[in-house]
Amino acid sequence: MDLVIGPLDLSAHVDEALAVQAIAFGLAADEVAVRRQIVLRHMTYPGARALGAMVDGNLAGFVYGMPNDRTHWWSTVVEPYLRARHNDLWLDDSFVITELHVHPHHQNRGIGRTLITTITDGADEPRSILSAIDTDSPARGLYHSLGYQDLARQVLFPSAPKPYAVMGAPLPLRRR
């Protein structure tokens, strides 16, 4: 396996990335169309950046994020849940992991771990936050192993069928 992790022009490779996300996350075509517009908008935000994992020349996974801004939609949804647990200060001076997905054929090989640690190693912020479906999943296990702690659970996003957990970790992320 020839693995290369590096900067990804996500705007130029949005369809490739969303194809990985659709398979990894089980998205229908209409959901992909909505997320395409969101990704393209996100990539215009100050400090937004992405990394890709190329395996034998094909995109096997990607991560993107940006410095958090309390005026962004995600922050406005999670803020009341965080405030209720006295964790809303995590919204300030944090690098948010917006999406992290690895194609199922390439999971459990350390690609997700390498993507998230590499992107956060380049962050100027002292901490990172993210949201993940609030189940005992391999993704949540990965985040816990990197030092992420639950800041709020059972967070409901409009139109999302399952509740999410908001997680935060000091940077740099914990290594094995």
Side-chain angles (χ1 to χ4, degrees):
M1 174 176 85
D2 183 26
L3 172 66
V4 178
I5 304 245
L8 176 66
D9 180 348
L10 191 53
S11 297
H13 295 276
V14 65
D15 295 320
E16 258 181 285
L18 288 175
V20 169
Q21 185 176 357
I23 293 166
F25 217 56
L27 299 178
D30 58 331
E31 293 171 297
V32 170
V34 169
R35 287 176 185 251
R36 185 178 198 280
Q37 298 309 312
I38 293 169
V39 170
L40 293 173
R41 183 177 70 245
H42 283 165
M43 294 316 296
T44 68
Y45 291 172
R49 53 200 170 77
L51 296 175
M54 304 298 287
V55 173
D56 300 326
N58 297 308
L59 188 66
F62 73 100
V63 63
Y64 84 91
M66 65 199 79
N68 194 53
D69 183 326
R70 282 183 180 253
T71 66
H72 292 165
W73 176 84
W74 181 85
S75 286
T76 65
V77 174
V78 303
E79 191 271 338
Y81 294 93
L82 292 173
R83 188 174 1 96
R85 301 222 13 222
H86 308 290
N87 284 327
D88 54 308
L89 289 178
W90 277 85
L91 293 172
D92 301 319
D93 214 15
S94 288
F95 187 83
V96 63
I97 300 298
T98 309
E99 300 288 349
L100 170 62
H101 299 285
V102 176
H103 191 287
H105 292 273
H106 299 287
Q107 291 176 359
N108 302 311
R109 296 181 185 174
I111 294 173
R113 178 180 300 275
T114 302
L115 284 167
I116 194 171
T117 56
T118 303
I119 200 167
T120 57
D121 281 352
D124 293 328
E125 297 75 18
R127 55 192 171 196
S128 172
I129 54 176
L130 55 79
S131 56
I133 294 175
D134 195 0
T135 59
D136 191 18
S137 65
R140 295 236 314 133
L142 168 65
Y143 302 142
H144 283 301
S145 77
L146 293 166
Y148 284 90
Q149 299 294 320
D150 292 335
L151 302 175
R153 308 242 352 233
Q154 298 297 301
V155 175
L156 301 175
F157 288 100
S159 80
K162 297 175 183 171
Y164 279 70
V166 176
M167 304 176 76
L171 295 179
L173 294 176
R174 184 187 308 143
R175 299 311 203 264
R176 287 186 180 163

